[in-house]
Each structure stands twice: as structure tokens, then as C-alpha cells.
Amino acid sequence: MTLDDLRAFLAVCEAGSLSAVARDLSCTQSAVSQRVRRLERELGLPLLERQPRGVAPTPAGRLLRHAAHDGIGALDLAVRQLREIRDGAAGTVRITTGAISVRHFMSQAVVSFRARHPQVGLEFQTSNSGRGCLDALAADTADLAWITIGPPVRGVQQRPVISLPWVLAVRADDPLATRATIGPDDLADIRHIRLPENSTSRRSLDGHFAQHGTEPDASTSVADWDTAMLLAELGLGHAIVPALPNWRAAEHPGLRLVPIPTLPPLATGWAVRRWETLSPAALAFADAVATSLTPPPPATPAPSSDAAGAAPAPDPLVRASA
């Protein structure tokens, strides 16, 4: 029984798929299967069972998974701390997240963290989805994952940091741009710019539409929230997006963000394998991000189009209270 065998077994338990783990480890599915079979031969018990979609641990496999998860996590922490002592430095914090997250959620924290911990390395890994971030945690290629908080995931601890109210991003000359808020009925007639497929934010919106029997016309889709807002500013449609921290409204005078108070806020935050096994540097960075983020300010209604006199230009970023 080797650590590599146990790591491969844990990764299969988390992913529920031999092929997915093989891709993450850049090896063949047969190589992953051989590691699991080696454990089964040594223990004399089956550890995995096939299901209609992938594999799952047997009762014996669940027992081994729990023990291995605790043991390997503690060992990983000890090894990282020993290396820090050996090198006389604070090590490296590995963060996996989406392409736009550093800009909107971490820019202030990176500056303050660097000032306090100049010897700590920061390694950012971009992922196309929350699932990819969780896979990086399972494969131990990342310490922290910034994700949209979703349903519980086996072997992962999620910690919400900030709740983001939803807004409708529209071109400044759009009839909806002068509205103080957007209601469910208004969403039925928009030209919807859809969010990334299989993303937590899109699933949240689709669930809301299904609940209210609303299905906006959608002819455009994007890979991230920033692109959705850009296309809305260009007049290609309407984007339902979270009100993002550090959004530079002054750089987008042609865009209006109108609150949608009927949509439950979207929670974002950290995901880790186990908080107690993180290095002090990783914990410090996670805390720095949480401290730097504050709830969005209350919404400022856009002036009515028939208001008497010349009204000042509204703030391009209109946010709802979390």
C-alpha cells in the first residue's frame, strides 16, 4: 500500500470516475484501476462498485476513504510546514478559480497579503468551472478554490464569504435602464444572454425561471459574467448577473445594472479539502480575501425618464442590498 495508491483511490471516490482521475493525473484509466486493484488485493476486500454513472466506494471503501483522507491531509500539511522550515520561507499558496475572480474578488487582498507576507508565493490556476476547481482540490494541485457556493460535495468544505445580489445588465438607452427594479414579469420579455452551461449561477437562474414559469428568449451565451455584461453594453441583449465587487462602473458609461430583488442572492466563497490541514499562509490568504470583501452598497434607483429638469447621470453600477 503506497501513498500514491491511496491518493488515486481518494481521487476516484471524489470524482466517481476512473477516467476523470486518469485525465487529471495525465495517465491511463488502466493505471488508475491498477492502483485501486492493488489496494483491494492487499486488503482482501472490494473497495469500489460500478454504478449506472461511474463508480462509488463500497462500505469497506468508505471506511478506507475516511481514514486515508484524514491521514493524507495531515501528512500533506506536515510536509508543507517542514519544507517551509527547511527553506526558511513561508511556502506557496495555490489558488484555483475562474478567470475573472482575481479581478473582482481578490485584487485588494493580493496587495494587502503581499505587504504582510512578502516571502509567500501565490500560484493562481484558472479553471473553466466550479467542478474544475473542486477537481483540483481533490487532486491536491490547489489549496484553496474560490467558487460559487453550491450543494454539499463529498470531501470538500465550503465556506461562503459574500452574497451577491442579482442585477439586470442593460444598455443605457434600453427602456429597462430607467427602472428602479426588475420584477419576474419583466424577465419574460428580455433577450437573455445566458451564463455558462453547467455553472452554479446558471442552474440557480434556470431553477428560478422554472419556478415562475418564465423562459426568456436566449440566442446568446457566454463563458463568464464579464463577457455577459460587455455584450449587454454592446446591445446584444440583456444579462442577468451578480453585482460584482470591484466592478469599475466608470469604465462602462453605456451600461446600467438594475436590481432584481426577487432573485435570492448568489453566495460565493472558499472551498477546501479540510480547513484544519491548510498551511498558515493559505489560511492567512483566505482571511485576507474575506476581510477585503464587503457587502454591496444599497441600490440607487435610476432617475425617471420623465423627471422634471436635467437629472444627473445615474451611477452605472446599481446594486441591490445583499
Side-chain angles (χ1 to χ4, degrees):
M1 183 182 300
T2 68
L3 280 177
D4 287 340
D5 291 344
L6 288 172
R7 289 186 191 278
F9 171 70
L10 283 178
V12 171
C13 290
E14 302 299 337
S17 167
L18 293 167
S19 59
V21 173
R23 288 194 300 270
D24 291 338
L25 299 180
S26 300
C27 65
T28 65
Q29 182 172 329
S30 175
V32 176
S33 181
Q34 286 175 13
R35 290 190 178 280
V36 175
R37 285 200 297 269
R38 193 154 48 226
L39 291 173
E40 291 177 328
R41 285 196 301 269
E42 183 169 344
L43 297 171
L45 290 168
L47 299 177
L48 294 175
E49 58 185 0
R50 292 194 175 276
Q51 295 190 335
R53 294 185 178 180
V55 295
T58 63
R62 289 194 293 271
L63 180 63
L64 179 62
R65 172 192 176 195
H66 179 75
H69 189 283
D70 291 346
I72 290 178
L75 182 60
D76 287 343
L77 174 60
V79 169
R80 284 197 295 270
Q81 291 174 333
L82 288 170
R83 286 172 177 167
E84 291 172 7
I85 294 173
R86 179 198 65 191
D87 298 338
T92 298
V93 180
R94 304 167 301 169
I95 306 104
T96 179
T97 186
I100 69 170
S101 296
V102 175
R103 180 191 312 120
H104 291 298
F105 296 99
M106 302 180 193
S107 56
Q108 297 177 27
V110 167
V111 174
S112 63
F113 181 84
R114 174 61 67 215
R116 293 187 180 94
H117 307 276
Q119 292 181 312
V120 176
L122 292 176
E123 178 184 305
F124 292 96
Q125 307 166 17
T126 300
S127 176
N128 294 327
S129 66
R131 180 69 258 176
C133 290
L134 298 179
D135 289 343
L137 290 179
D140 194 31
T141 59
D143 306 306
L144 298 163
W146 183 266
I147 63 170
T148 300
I149 302 298
V153 179
R154 292 179 301 175
V156 173
Q157 296 177 344
Q158 300 183 58
R159 180 176 294 178
V161 172
I162 185 171
S163 292
L164 307 174
W166 291 93
V167 295
L168 184 70
V170 299
R171 190 178 170 92
D173 57 4
D174 189 283
L176 294 174
T178 59
R179 298 287 295 275
T181 60
I182 297 295
D185 293 340
D186 300 315
L187 298 179
D189 299 324
I190 66 172
R191 292 176 292 116
H192 188 205
I193 299 172
R194 302 197 72 177
L195 297 180
E197 189 173 2
N198 296 325
S199 65
T200 303
S201 53
R202 176 161 166 178
R203 286 195 298 269
S204 177
L205 280 181
D206 288 347
H208 175 82
F209 292 149
Q211 181 180 356
H212 290 82
T214 302
E215 189 171 350
D217 176 55
S219 58
T220 306
S221 61
V222 295
D224 59 69
W225 299 332
D226 272 4
T227 304
M229 286 190 276
L230 174 60
L231 295 184
E233 187 175 11
L234 295 174
L236 270 68
H238 307 83
I240 304 174
V241 293
L244 298 172
N246 300 321
W247 170 257
R248 298 179 180 179
E251 297 180 2
H252 303 273
L255 188 67
R256 297 292 182 269
L257 304 183
V258 188
I260 312 175
T262 56
L263 287 179
L266 192 69
T268 59
W270 290 117
V272 303
R273 288 191 296 171
R274 294 185 66 186
W275 285 100
E276 58 267 32
T277 62
L278 288 179
S279 69
L283 288 170
F285 183 79
D287 288 341
V289 173
T291 301
S292 71
L293 293 173
T294 57
T300 303
S304 173
S305 58
D306 57 356
D315 184 341
L317 179 57
V318 182
R319 292 176 175 170
S321 176

